[in-house]
Amino acid sequence: MSDDNSLCFIQITDPHLRKEADGTLLGMNTRSSLDAVLQLIQANHPNPDVVLASGDVAQDGSIEAYRCFQDQVGFFDAPIYWLSGNHDNREAMTTVVGEGASLDKVARIGSWQFIFLDSLVDGRVYGHLAESELTLLDNTLSERPDLHAIVCFHHHPIDIGSEWLDNIGLKNRDQLLAVIDKHENVRSLIWGHIHQEIDQYRNDVRLLATPSTCVQFLPSSKDFAIDRLAPGYRWLTLNSDGSIETGVERADHIDFNIDYSSKGY
Ligand SMILES: [Fe+2]
């Protein structure tokens, strides 16, 4: 059960916006689908304490796409943390990120701390955490062992039983997990990239992946395949005792066009 000091954490991921207002991913208008998801958040979780945008904010890395995202999420009365995905452009993100949003790597609120890592490798689809990111993680966890921690990044740190996606995950996952295993205050790892939901445990650490705000990928598929599930987001209730309640909500009420014949994205 949530307590009086619990925090509401919202994750939106993989919006894949383009500079064109009618830009699509696999046939879906990504501005419209993000808008539908944001309306759902406003209805279900109108007062989050923190919002995470966990990468692939833009499909094309354009300034215009980041400006659009900044405008679309501008209604949140909560800090919004952006981190990079493989489709993102760090320079353009840094140029655009503005009021209410941040590329900061650490946030501390109440009895929780959030660490936002950058797994983008320029020009690659797979991910890798630089030594500097791993050191920052290790130091941040060591600094405040009294705070429950959530570690966020873009690429998946475990195999998910989908060959094409497992080839483009986090390459140095062993290094990440070795740091996580050194500390007892990590409650959850959260990522995007795979456009599907995961909720499982590794030791006592909850592993959470979240649907995209646009097109979803079919779980357990050897080759690229699109799922028919609707765009969505994840909510988390973070209790002061370190326990987590979480779920995924989807914009099931909207009809979207999807090109199911696509062979890749
Ligand atoms: Fe993505």
Side-chain angles (χ1 to χ4, degrees):
M1 292 294 290
S2 61
D3 59 49
D4 288 348
N5 297 315
S6 66
L7 300 178
C8 176
F9 179 108
I10 296 295
Q11 181 193 13
I12 47 185
T13 195
D14 296 82
H16 290 265
L17 302 179
R18 292 182 190 269
K19 62 173 174 275
E20 302 84 8
D22 58 356
T24 59
L25 183 74
L26 303 166
M28 185 183 287
N29 182 307
T30 53
R31 293 192 186 195
S32 302
S33 63
L34 173 61
D35 202 42
V37 171
L38 292 172
Q39 284 179 30
L40 196 63
I41 298 172
Q42 281 184 292
N44 293 340
H45 297 94
N47 296 304
D49 296 290
V50 54
V51 178
L52 166 67
S54 52
D56 284 359
V57 169
Q59 170 73 5
D60 57 7
S62 67
I63 296 259
E64 293 87 344
Y66 295 117
R67 286 217 175 99
C68 173
F69 183 74
Q70 176 95 340
D71 287 347
Q72 280 188 273
V73 300
F75 66 88
F76 279 119
D77 186 20
I80 305 173
Y81 293 89
W82 302 13
L83 56 78
S84 308
N86 47 294
H87 286 277
D88 286 311
N89 179 304
R90 288 192 192 95
E91 205 174 310
M93 288 174 93
T94 307
T95 302
V96 173
V97 73
E99 198 177 341
S102 171
L103 290 165
D104 286 355
K105 293 193 165 294
V106 181
R108 289 172 172 149
I109 307 173
S111 50
W112 288 81
Q113 65 176 343
F114 309 95
I115 303 160
F116 308 106
L117 301 178
D118 185 337
S119 58
L120 163 63
V121 182
D122 283 324
R124 302 289 176 211
V125 183
Y126 64 76
H128 183 273
L129 290 168
E131 203 60 45
S132 55
E133 297 293 289
L134 295 168
T135 302
L136 176 132
L137 173 64
D138 198 13
N139 290 344
T140 305
L141 292 172
S142 295
E143 257 170 43
R144 294 297 303 270
D146 57 312
L147 297 178
H148 308 295
I150 292 190
V151 184
C152 313
F153 40 84
H154 183 70
H155 293 83
H156 47 303
I158 55 165
D159 282 343
I160 59 165
S162 191
E163 192 176 319
W164 75 276
L165 281 168
D166 287 336
N167 287 332
I168 54 170
L170 186 69
K171 289 295 178 192
N172 60 336
R173 60 190 61 180
D174 291 351
Q175 283 181 282
L176 168 71
L177 297 174
V179 176
I180 300 299
D181 288 345
K182 281 174 63 182
H183 299 273
E184 293 188 352
N185 50 339
V186 180
R187 303 288 168 249
S188 179
L189 309 183
I190 298 184
W191 65 86
H193 190 48
I194 59 174
H195 295 219
Q196 61 194 271
E197 180 180 359
I198 283 181
D199 184 349
Q200 61 189 56
Y201 283 87
R202 177 182 177 274
N203 303 326
D204 290 330
V205 179
R206 200 153 180 181
L207 306 179
L208 297 170
T210 297
S212 164
T213 63
C214 59
V215 180
Q216 315 307 328
F217 300 144
L218 188 68
S220 306
S221 178
K222 180 173 181 291
D223 301 310
F224 174 87
I226 300 171
D227 204 352
R228 289 174 185 270
L229 292 174
Y233 72 97
R234 178 176 292 283
W235 58 269
L236 297 94
T237 301
L238 307 175
N239 298 314
S240 52
D241 65 358
S243 61
I244 294 173
E245 296 149 58
T246 184
V248 160
E249 306 288 342
R250 293 181 191 267
D252 289 310
H253 56 296
I254 310 272
D255 282 333
F256 295 100
N257 290 324
I258 299 182
D259 178 5
Y260 291 104
S261 66
S262 302
K263 296 281 183 273
Y265 84 117

